[in-house]
Amino acid sequence: MPNQLSIPFKRTTDIPIRAAARKYISDKYNDTHPDALKWDVSQWEDLRKDAVGGTVHADRVKALQLYHAQLVFILTKLPTDIGLEIPYYPAFNSSGSPVTLRNLAYERAAVLFNLSALHSQLAAAEDRASPQGLKQAIASYQNAAGTLNYLSTTATPKLRASITTEAMPLELSEPFVDHLEALMLAQAQECVWQRAVMDNYKNAVIAKLAKSVSSYYQRSLSQARDASPSIRHFLPSGWLAHLETKQLHFEAAAQVRKSIDDLEANRYGNELTRLSLAKTLAQKGFDVARRAAVAPAILNDIRSVLDNVQKNLHRAERDNDLIYHQDVPPATSLPPIQDASMVQSLVAKALLEPKTIVKPDAVIFGELLGWGARRAIDIYKDRCQNWIREEVMGRAQRLDDVVTETLRSLNLPGSLEALEKPIGLPPSLLKKAEEVRLEKGPERIESSIESVQKLAQQDMDILNEAMDIMDQEAEEDEQFRAENPTARLPSHEANQELVAKAQRYRGVLDQANESDEIVRTKWDEWETNISELTWDEADLEAIIPSSTATPAARRGVPNSTQSHVRALRVALESLDDVQRGRREQVARATRLADAEDITPRILKAASGFEQWVEVQPAMLEDVLEEELAKFDKFAAAIQEGETRQQSLLDTIKERNELFLRSRKDDPIVKEREHALQSLDLAYHKYKEITRNLDEGLKFYNDFSGILTQFRESCKEWVNLRRHEAHQLTEAMEAMSLANAASLPSHPPEPPERPVKEELRREERPKSGKADEFRPVLDLPPPDSSEWEAPALPPAPTREYGKIPVKKGRR
């Protein structure tokens, strides 16, 4: 029976690579059909099938290395989560439940773990009675250690960064992997020591080699004992006792060999001290091995060392008492035995440079645009749209609102049109009325208000349904807790994160409803005026007072007034030119953003990186900044227009003041001015209300998707809670049956502790802390990314509810 340990494989099952890859490519790559990647998917399936087989043969090393290399390349093309469920059973408990993650980095880490396990099993299978077998075992153990080192330093950090802390498999965590790496080095060094003994090296050299073996075992043992969180429960029974026995065995062996060196150098007192120390170590090792029931080979080894030490110690004491009479120094005064490590963690070139074992034309998804580049394109589109919306469209709208409000406060252009055209309707007003009439303005607004109300109610219904699902689970949990003693968290504590998220969503809907009410109030205020704009020209003209009968109209207008009118008209026309130019800038920016395709530029930039480099979006930041700089000219044009607009508004205010002073006080003209200005303002309110409603429709449609995903997350969470409760019930029923079966035919006196109290005790963790209870089902916490809906949107501003309501003419 071998006296060294090997690492077992992490067993897995078949996974639906083809279905997951096709769905992901269909969803994310509009320019690539899944059928174009049939060969790649088929190759992926074949490589995995070849790599995950559990046979122990040297040929499988290359198969695992090749599959790992392809995974490294695949992870440059695809994100870690493509919706592919990947299960792996615990290596040291293959009959337990598998750990399943939707994470390709998990697949890579598990493959590396199995590669190190293969190396360790190949080493353990070698014939260490021959020099060649020892040589092969040393190489295999060092390769196992190197693979584990590569896993711990390269693959595990990427896996940890892509999942939650709770989801991290302990067998792939750094402490666990480091423990196994030290064990592999210890066994490699043990083979070196065995070869030195076989080749009759000097005793002093063998002592140093044995001391190094002991140090590696001590390091492995300490890492297993001190790991946080604890990994001891993952290791087989007797595993740590094996390591401790080995550590004491080789510490004793080092002292024995050094005692022989002292004997040869006539240091008889030192010999006695070292043999006494070796006896203490060997006896302790033997006691550990005997109590822990380690493998018979290990027990026989430490017994052999102990017998040998006792025999040599008896001989040395007799010789020193009868012949040498040297003083026996204390152990603390002896020079320590130095380590002589002859092994190291060897990382295969196939792992460090995976491209060396894959032909350039045989990489999987070689023609696919990498996920980092794809993400960079999405980031650019989002930035571009947000920038245009804020810096171009948003600023343009705010500047137009300033113009509208300023002219309204100055009663322009109504005062000019009333004076210049004493009868009939101004052409500008007729054009605005025609626009409202063709769009069936009032019907459009009423329809949009109804649609907004309907969507708002639908969103609230979805949220209420999600909370109903949570309430139902809470009732079930109360019933379960009343019938079964359990230490699992009650629903009102376990679902705190989901409930808090629902409250935030409800707050957003309430705020949106307030904005909706403001828009509806605004429509109520301006409905009459906006409806008048849909009348025929004759009917509209009939409600506008005529000023033809006034003395002012008959005698004409003073020259000073006419000069101010001309100046105002010129300024207003210039202001129209500024607004028109601004609208053109917005349209040009929007057309450029819609027509632009940054993909070729990203492809070119991504191709400049090494093919096997995992391109991150941040690596393409310079390209994104350069592309966004193309839109700076539109912002500059808006800024220039703002400066020109402010100058014109100052001129208009000044000229309007002079115009008002020069005019005669004619009440009929003033009435006509007010009527024309009210209709002009009604048009602007019509545009404002329709814009608010369009923004409301978009908000509720977008928010509906977020709430739907939240509702599905609640359903999934509740299903997992129900499954957990079912498993707990089954476990308690099984325990009750076991207790019943163990009862004698004549039942004894009732136990001191009721059965339910016993169940509570069984459910508690060994530490006795209730808050450390681990349920049967590994349920993710509510703040896990598995429950995360898209980012909570801001409350709908849409200028929606922000514009003061002004009463129009009734």
Side-chain angles (χ1 to χ4, degrees):
M1 179 178 290
N3 63 353
Q4 291 187 334
L5 299 173
S6 61
I7 304 171
F9 292 118
K10 288 181 69 68
R11 188 168 58 85
T12 185
T13 56
D14 292 338
I15 56 177
I17 294 176
R18 184 176 303 275
R22 286 183 65 88
K23 185 177 186 306
Y24 179 82
I25 293 168
S26 297
D27 293 344
K28 302 296 183 181
Y29 291 82
N30 297 328
D31 55 348
T32 303
H33 194 279
D35 288 343
L37 301 170
K38 278 185 177 180
W39 178 88
D40 304 82
V41 174
S42 177
Q43 186 76 355
W44 187 354
E45 291 177 326
D46 292 342
L47 283 174
R48 187 178 197 273
K49 184 178 180 180
D50 191 32
V52 300
T55 59
V56 180
H57 194 279
D59 292 344
R60 289 196 60 246
V61 171
K62 185 175 181 181
L64 282 162
Q65 290 176 342
L66 181 59
Y67 182 45
H68 169 263
Q70 290 284 15
L71 283 174
V72 171
F73 188 82
I74 289 172
L75 282 167
T76 69
K77 298 295 184 177
L78 302 179
T80 55
D81 184 3
I82 63 169
L84 178 61
E85 300 277 355
I86 303 174
Y88 272 95
Y89 289 84
F92 295 97
N93 182 21
S94 60
S95 61
S97 300
V99 176
T100 302
L101 298 177
R102 293 197 308 181
N103 195 298
L104 293 179
Y106 177 47
E107 172 83 344
R108 179 194 177 195
V111 167
L112 286 171
F113 186 96
N114 281 345
L115 178 58
S116 67
L118 176 61
H119 281 303
S120 74
Q121 293 180 42
L122 289 172
E126 293 291 344
D127 178 13
R128 289 188 286 120
S130 67
Q132 184 62 28
L134 284 171
K135 180 179 178 181
Q136 292 294 336
I138 293 169
S140 293
Y141 278 132
Q142 290 185 106
N143 281 324
T147 304
L148 289 165
N149 179 271
Y150 180 79
L151 167 61
S152 176
T153 58
T154 306
T156 296
K158 292 185 177 180
L159 173 59
R160 185 181 296 280
S162 61
I163 59 176
T164 62
T165 303
E166 296 79 9
M168 182 67 191
L170 279 182
E171 281 189 330
L172 297 176
S173 64
E174 288 89 343
F176 197 98
V177 175
D178 292 346
H179 153 70
L180 294 179
E181 179 189 359
L183 172 59
M184 294 299 102
L185 290 174
Q187 295 184 159
Q189 180 73 13
E190 183 178 347
C191 292
V192 172
W193 168 86
Q194 187 175 348
R195 177 66 186 272
V197 172
M198 185 182 296
D199 291 346
N200 295 318
Y201 279 37
K202 292 181 178 179
N203 288 300
V205 173
I206 295 176
K208 292 180 179 180
L209 294 176
K211 176 65 175 176
S212 183
V213 175
S214 177
S215 297
Y216 276 123
Y217 276 116
Q218 178 60 47
R219 172 178 150 193
S220 180
L221 184 62
S222 299
Q223 287 171 336
R225 286 174 171 171
D226 301 339
S228 179
S230 175
I231 62 174
R232 300 177 68 170
H233 60 285
F234 270 85
L235 297 169
S237 174
W239 184 277
L240 295 185
H242 176 106
L243 300 184
E244 186 175 4
T245 302
K246 283 281 191 176
Q247 183 264 320
L248 294 168
H249 174 163
F250 282 97
E251 180 74 20
Q255 296 295 341
V256 169
R257 283 290 179 169
K258 186 61 177 173
S259 72
I260 298 175
D261 181 64
D262 288 335
L263 174 62
E264 292 172 348
N266 301 325
R267 296 188 291 268
Y268 306 111
N270 288 4
E271 178 198 14
L272 270 172
T273 300
R274 292 194 183 278
L275 286 173
S276 297
L277 184 57
K279 178 184 176 183
T280 301
L281 292 167
Q283 184 63 57
K284 182 178 179 182
F286 179 75
D287 292 341
V288 169
R290 181 168 46 82
R291 286 196 304 267
V294 298
I298 303 301
L299 183 62
N300 291 335
D301 286 346
I302 192 66
R303 180 187 289 115
S304 176
V305 172
L306 179 60
D307 292 344
N308 183 51
V309 168
Q310 289 174 334
K311 182 175 65 175
N312 285 334
L313 179 60
H314 178 72
R315 187 262 314 154
E317 288 176 339
R318 185 192 57 198
D319 289 351
N320 194 54
D321 289 344
L322 297 177
I323 304 173
Y324 306 121
H325 306 293
Q326 287 191 4
D327 293 334
V328 179
T332 55
S333 66
L334 295 179
I337 303 174
Q338 301 298 319
D339 285 4
S341 175
M342 302 300 292
V343 297
Q344 59 180 326
S345 299
L346 297 179
V347 184
K349 185 178 180 180
L351 299 182
L352 294 174
E353 301 179 28
K355 62 182 179 180
T356 57
I357 64 169
V358 181
K359 296 180 181 178
D361 59 348
V363 290
I364 297 176
F365 299 136
E367 301 300 321
L368 197 65
L369 180 63
W371 73 268
R374 176 69 62 177
R375 178 62 182 145
I377 294 173
D378 294 338
I379 290 173
Y380 173 78
K381 290 179 179 178
D382 289 341
R383 285 188 189 175
C384 185
Q385 292 173 0
N386 291 335
W387 189 89
I388 290 176
R389 184 166 53 249
E390 294 296 326
E391 298 298 325
V392 180
M393 298 175 66
R395 288 182 62 189
Q397 185 60 55
R398 289 192 292 271
L399 291 173
D400 285 344
D401 291 342
V402 169
V403 171
T404 300
E405 185 60 26
T406 302
L407 295 183
R408 185 201 62 79
S409 65
L410 298 176
N411 202 26
L412 291 173
S415 59
L416 294 181
E417 292 170 341
L419 183 66
E420 295 174 336
K421 192 175 180 60
I423 60 174
L425 298 175
S428 61
L429 182 59
L430 289 174
K431 183 178 180 181
K432 294 172 182 175
E434 181 182 10
E435 179 183 341
V436 177
R437 185 166 54 251
L438 291 175
E439 292 182 357
K440 298 181 180 180
E443 292 87 344
R444 175 186 175 186
I445 290 176
E446 291 287 357
S447 176
S448 294
I449 288 177
E450 183 179 350
S451 297
V452 167
Q453 291 175 332
K454 183 177 179 181
L455 288 174
Q457 187 59 47
Q458 287 178 354
D459 284 5
M460 186 61 74
D461 290 343
I462 295 173
L463 182 58
N464 289 335
E465 183 182 348
M467 295 314 297
D468 289 343
I469 293 170
M470 300 293 290
D471 290 342
Q472 183 179 356
E473 190 280 330
E475 294 177 2
E476 294 172 359
D477 182 65
E478 289 181 4
Q479 182 178 356
F480 174 78
R481 300 175 72 82
E483 298 174 355
N484 304 281
T486 178
R488 78 167 186 165
L489 289 176
S491 291
H492 70 274
E493 295 181 15
N495 64 12
Q496 284 182 355
E497 292 294 332
L498 289 173
V499 171
K501 187 175 294 184
Q503 291 173 345
R504 294 199 301 272
Y505 288 162
R506 193 176 298 278
V508 171
L509 288 176
D510 290 342
Q511 188 172 351
N513 185 61
E514 293 175 4
S515 296
D516 295 341
E517 187 60 36
I518 292 175
V519 175
R520 286 193 290 270
T521 302
K522 194 186 305 182
W523 167 237
D524 291 339
E525 294 286 341
W526 288 93
E527 180 180 1
T528 300
N529 302 76
I530 294 173
S531 297
E532 289 172 351
L533 289 174
T534 64
W535 294 357
D536 294 336
E537 182 177 341
D539 295 334
L540 191 58
E541 186 175 347
I543 66 171
I544 304 296
S546 174
S547 60
T548 56
T550 65
R554 291 194 297 269
R555 295 193 301 268
V557 182
N559 291 335
S560 59
T561 301
Q562 291 179 356
S563 65
H564 295 319
V565 168
R566 286 193 295 270
L568 273 173
R569 182 58 69 186
V570 170
L572 288 172
E573 290 175 354
S574 298
L575 189 60
D576 285 341
D577 291 339
V578 170
Q579 289 183 285
R580 189 181 306 109
R582 191 155 51 227
R583 286 192 295 271
E584 290 177 357
Q585 294 296 330
V586 172
R588 288 177 57 198
T590 304
R591 285 196 301 269
L592 179 59
D594 292 342
E596 186 183 32
D597 183 9
I598 195 178
T599 303
R601 178 75 192 277
I602 292 293
L603 281 172
K604 182 179 179 181
S607 65
F609 295 102
E610 172 65 33
Q611 186 184 26
W612 286 74
V613 170
E614 184 176 343
V615 177
Q616 300 285 342
M619 300 165 67
L620 300 168
E621 188 66 30
D622 293 344
V623 177
L624 303 187
E625 292 294 334
E626 290 177 11
E627 290 296 314
L628 284 174
K630 296 187 300 187
F631 293 91
D632 289 344
K633 60 184 179 182
F634 300 112
I638 297 292
Q639 179 62 44
E640 183 181 348
E642 181 179 6
T643 304
R644 174 66 175 154
Q645 172 176 301
Q646 188 57 49
S647 175
L648 287 171
L649 288 177
D650 291 341
T651 301
I652 289 171
K653 291 176 182 178
E654 180 182 348
R655 285 293 186 177
N656 189 64
E657 181 67 26
L658 297 173
F659 167 64
L660 293 177
R661 290 177 185 175
S662 67
R663 287 185 54 195
K664 294 183 178 180
D665 188 12
D666 190 333
I668 298 180
V669 172
K670 289 185 177 295
E671 186 179 352
R672 179 174 174 81
E673 290 176 5
H674 180 72
L676 291 173
Q677 190 65 25
S678 294
L679 289 175
D680 187 74
L681 186 57
Y683 169 78
H684 290 290
K685 288 298 179 182
Y686 165 73
K687 301 296 286 185
E688 180 181 305
I689 291 170
T690 54
R691 184 174 69 249
N692 293 161
L693 291 171
D694 289 342
E695 291 171 353
L697 289 170
K698 183 179 186 303
F699 165 77
Y700 284 117
N701 277 316
D702 292 345
F703 202 54
S704 174
I706 296 174
L707 292 174
T708 300
Q709 184 171 346
F710 174 71
R711 180 183 62 191
E712 295 305 313
S713 296
C714 290
K715 288 181 180 179
E716 186 175 352
W717 186 84
V718 167
N719 288 336
L720 287 174
R721 287 275 292 184
R722 287 171 177 164
H723 183 59
E724 179 188 49
H726 179 69
Q727 286 190 324
L728 287 172
T729 302
E730 288 184 343
M732 287 185 284
E733 288 177 353
M735 187 181 301
S736 298
L737 291 174
N739 290 338
S742 63
L743 293 174
S745 57
H746 299 287
E749 293 296 322
E752 297 180 5
R753 181 187 296 109
V755 174
K756 288 188 175 181
E757 177 60 27
E758 179 66 18
L759 291 177
R760 293 191 189 98
R761 185 184 66 79
E762 291 295 335
E763 288 174 355
R764 295 191 191 105
K766 292 183 180 179
S767 64
K769 298 179 182 178
D771 58 352
E772 293 180 1
F773 171 72
R774 296 179 64 86
V776 176
L777 183 63
D778 192 12
L779 187 68
D783 59 352
S784 169
S785 61
E786 294 184 34
W787 313 125
E788 191 62 37
L792 188 66
T797 57
R798 11 176 179 160
E799 293 297 319
Y800 198 43
K802 302 298 183 181
I803 302 173
V805 177
K806 302 293 183 180
K807 293 190 70 174
R809 182 176 61 82
R810 288 286 184 182

